Amino acid sequence: MTATSQDLILEQEKLLGNWNVFSNNILVDFQLPPLFNLPKSHLQCYGESVYCINKDLLSKCKNGETAKERMICVVAWSISILRPLMFGVVPYNPTLGETHHASNATLNVLLEQVSHHPPVSALHATDETNNIELLWCHYAVPKFYGATIETVVHGTRKLKLLERGETYMMNSPTLLIRLLPKPGVEWVGNVNIKCQETGLEAELSYKGSSFFGFGASNRMIRGKIMELSSSKTLYDISGNWDRTVQIKDATNGKNKILYNAKEAISALPSPTLKDPEGVWPSESAAVWAEVSKAILNKDWDKAREAKRAVEESERELLRQRKSMVEDWVPKHFDLTYSPDNGWDCTPKQNTVPPAPIVFSM
């Protein structure tokens, strides 16, 4: 790994301390000049939503004494992986086979871009100390509606509490980009979290601002936790997901804070490059090192040249595979597709090893 790549890993991740970091934008089908790029990859943004946090909400999920307490913790964690977005800049579209590998304490996270057309990203994270496993397979489909672009994120997120024998299945909200009359970007739509083993389900609804960008509904969340068998509401959820979210016990009316965004995701930590030699050539920061360096230096001509070089390298690899009649095979995941269930990703290894890039809470 070059010194430039090492420096860029640190420079890119310093951006995490900014409350307005554009994490999780999923405009995967747009080819933009570097002026409109955030100097990091979509793959990094996906990973950061999992491991870049000040409070360990993930391991807390397995500590609840009752199924209700664990579902409440899972809901809080699911809200924490959403981050405020910034209109006007997007991360790089990952190259085929690009990876991102990082650790936070005992949580080890690995992502791979397993398909380019359509763009499919896979995530596998394991915490062997807390017996937790995460499996994500995402592919986004943008649609234009005149004044807005709506990006539906297909695929399923699985959170497994191995010690409890529980699997929580959930989807992602929709990314809404409003072009007119007031430009903006926000998360909207419904998220369902279901655990068959406990018979509990959560329904969350993310609300955007009005058409003109006004109103009190900005980044509002409403929802409930209920029993699957009877649809009986156990808890009501309300608030603003980028500020505070409250949960009310439907039985006794007691309120408490479910999630505090300022405590969880503001002033995020900087990384430590623990093992420079252990960083793979496919690591996002290494792939885009020259582009990111030029963007940070505001050398736009060099950034365009470096970005073209990355894209042309990928096109050349595609031409080589076609000439040799070879299919692309992901290194870390098995990728399958069915008309009923869409794309699915299965990790080739049971656990993710510790990463050379380390974040500390």
Side-chain angles (χ1 to χ4, degrees), residues 118-130:
V120 182
S121 303
L123 178 150
H124 185 212
T126 56
D127 185 335
E128 294 181 73
T129 300
N130 292 293

Side-chain angles (χ1 to χ4, degrees), residues 71-322:
M71 175 59 88
I72 289 171
C73 291
V74 170
V75 169
W77 173 79
S78 77
I79 297 171
S80 78
I81 60 179
L82 288 186
R83 306 296 165 91
L85 308 178
M86 187 168 64
F87 182 83
V89 290
V90 298
Y92 313 124
N93 294 333
T95 60
L96 186 61
E98 183 178 324
T99 59
H100 183 49
H101 187 201
S103 296
N104 187 337
T106 56
L107 178 68
N108 303 314
V109 183
L110 173 62
L111 299 96
E112 182 178 15
Q113 191 69 13
V114 293
S115 173
H116 194 61
H117 296 291
V120 182
S121 303
L123 178 150
H124 185 212
T126 56
D127 185 335
E128 294 181 73
T129 300
N130 292 293
N131 290 308
I132 291 175
E133 183 178 28
L134 291 172
L135 294 168
W136 293 6
C137 187
H138 284 178
Y139 49 105
V141 179
K143 293 183 179 180
F144 293 84
Y145 295 98
T148 62
I149 303 169
E150 194 173 282
T151 303
V152 178
V153 186
H154 296 279
T156 303
R157 299 170 174 177
K158 300 176 185 178
L159 166 56
K160 297 184 177 184
L161 305 181
L162 303 175
E163 197 174 84
R164 304 284 185 176
E166 297 171 1
T167 298
Y168 296 80
M169 307 281 289
M170 63 195 80
N171 63 303
S172 170
T174 295
L175 181 68
L176 178 67
I177 300 167
R178 198 184 305 279
L179 306 175
L180 295 170
K182 183 179 180 180
V185 56
E186 52 197 350
W187 294 106
V188 298
N190 299 322
V191 170
N192 178 269
I193 305 172
K194 186 180 295 184
C195 181
Q196 292 289 350
E197 293 82 4
T198 63
L200 296 177
E201 180 180 26
E203 292 182 350
L204 304 175
S205 179
Y206 290 88
K207 306 290 186 181
S209 57
S210 68
F211 180 75
F212 293 101
F214 305 110
S217 62
N218 187 32
R219 293 175 177 169
M220 181 181 291
I221 182 173
R222 292 287 184 270
K224 59 185 177 180
I225 296 174
M226 56 190 179
E227 294 177 342
L228 278 170
S229 58
S230 64
S231 296
K232 176 185 176 182
T233 297
L234 304 174
Y235 300 93
D236 291 301
I237 296 164
S238 62
N240 299 87
W241 61 264
D242 65 330
R243 282 158 275 177
T244 58
V245 180
Q246 292 191 331
I247 184 167
K248 183 175 74 172
D249 191 320
T251 304
N252 56 32
K254 290 184 178 180
N255 274 291
K256 67 177 182 179
I257 298 295
L258 173 67
Y259 174 69
N260 186 319
K262 186 174 182 180
E263 292 179 358
I265 61 173
S266 64
L268 291 168
S270 295
T272 300
L273 188 55
K274 185 177 179 181
D275 178 19
E277 298 301 320
V279 177
W280 301 327
S282 59
E283 170 63 42
S284 293
V287 171
W288 298 98
E290 293 301 324
V291 187
S292 296
K293 181 181 178 182
I295 289 175
L296 292 169
N297 290 333
K298 297 185 179 180
D299 188 340
W300 304 116
D301 289 338
K302 189 172 183 179
R304 282 191 292 271
E305 181 181 339
K307 190 175 183 182
R308 277 196 298 267
V310 172
E311 293 166 350
E312 179 54 36
S313 176
E314 185 168 31
R315 284 190 286 267
E316 177 58 29
L317 289 173
L318 176 61
R319 286 192 289 266
Q320 291 177 13
R321 286 195 299 273
K322 284 185 175 179

Side-chain angles (χ1 to χ4, degrees), residues 6-23:
Q6 296 176 29
D7 293 341
L8 258 297
I9 288 174
L10 299 178
E11 286 296 328
Q12 289 178 358
E13 303 304 345
K14 284 178 183 176
L15 294 170
L16 290 169
N18 186 345
W19 177 263
N20 291 319
V21 159
F22 191 6
S23 289

